[in-house]
Amino acid sequence: MSRYAALCCALLAAPASAETMLFDFGNTARQTAGNWNNIVPATTDLFAVFDADGTILPGVTLSITDTFFQTGEPSQIGSEAPAGDAAGYPVDATDDYFFGHSGPFAGADDNPYGEVRLSGLNPATAYNFTFFSARNGVTDNRDTMYTASGANSLNGVAVTSNNNTEVLHLGGVFPDANGDIFVGVEAGPGNDNGNEFYYINLMQVDAVPEPSSVMLALAATALTFPRRRGA
């Protein structure tokens, strides 16, 4: 095998680097340490967003564009034992949450929909979303629907009631022309709670590496190999 062919195989086999953003939604007193972006009730805009390596992502911000429950601090009755697909997440992120509801609740008006906006993203890059929602100690169905919308839109329903293991993946969402992706949260179609409570405990956002970056690396490297002269 030639050196060029060997390099091609190595580059194609190696995972391309991609930024990962981790967001914890919840109680002010239960913020997640490390390279997590903590969203608490007082948050309206997060002007500095960093990735899982602790690097500030230039121009990337998060805004709450449709508020969740705002009367007091959210509870900490989520998952205290993340396992299965949620095993890699810390308890500080899985145990507390933002939530909303249909109809008045605890002094708050009807709040059937909550929304956040990620801005400053690359419109040419696809982003994968992973959500975890949990409200444990209940006997009804509190499934939660998530919708991620930019140039395209994807949605799915997450298990919430007594959840310790399941996550929801929405893969391949492109930002709109302004570099924005909106994430909406509401009760799922099977939610049979009288207040239609819905939840968001954490959100992971992964930028998908562009395949073209691998090809560019191959082309650039090929130019560095000396050409073999004909006999």
Side-chain angles (χ1 to χ4, degrees), residues 19-35:
E19 63 195 32
T20 293
M21 295 169 274
L22 300 168
F23 298 93
D24 174 20
F25 297 82
N27 197 293
T28 304
R30 193 72 187 271
Q31 299 187 39
T32 302
N35 297 323

Side-chain angles (χ1 to χ4, degrees), residues 10 12 29 53 76 87 92 122 128 163 186 199-201 204 230:
L12 291 172
D53 294 326
Q76 303 175 57
D92 282 340
N122 183 354
N128 294 339
N163 180 34
E186 59 191 311
Y199 303 84
I200 180 169
N201 299 54
Q204 176 176 331

Side-chain angles (χ1 to χ4, degrees), residues 43-120:
T43 303
T44 54
D45 297 284
L46 198 63
F47 292 111
V49 172
F50 49 87
D51 67 14
D53 294 326
T55 302
I56 296 292
L57 300 174
V60 177
T61 63
L62 181 142
S63 302
I64 297 178
T65 47
D66 200 319
T67 58
F68 298 79
F69 180 79
Q70 293 290 309
T71 305
E73 290 284 345
S75 300
Q76 303 175 57
I77 322 176
S79 173
E80 295 185 353
D85 290 341
Y89 295 121
V91 173
D92 282 340
T94 62
D95 194 31
D96 57 349
Y97 44 74
F98 275 15
F99 74 97
H101 50 87
S102 295
F105 174 74
D109 294 332
D110 182 45
N111 191 355
Y113 180 80
E115 184 183 77
V116 300
R117 177 182 65 200
L118 273 172
S119 300

Side-chain angles (χ1 to χ4, degrees), residues 4 7 11-12 210-224:
Y4 178 65
L7 181 64
L11 282 172
L12 291 172
E210 297 180 53
S212 59
S213 63
V214 176
M215 300 311 296
L216 288 173
L218 287 171
T221 307
L223 294 176
T224 67

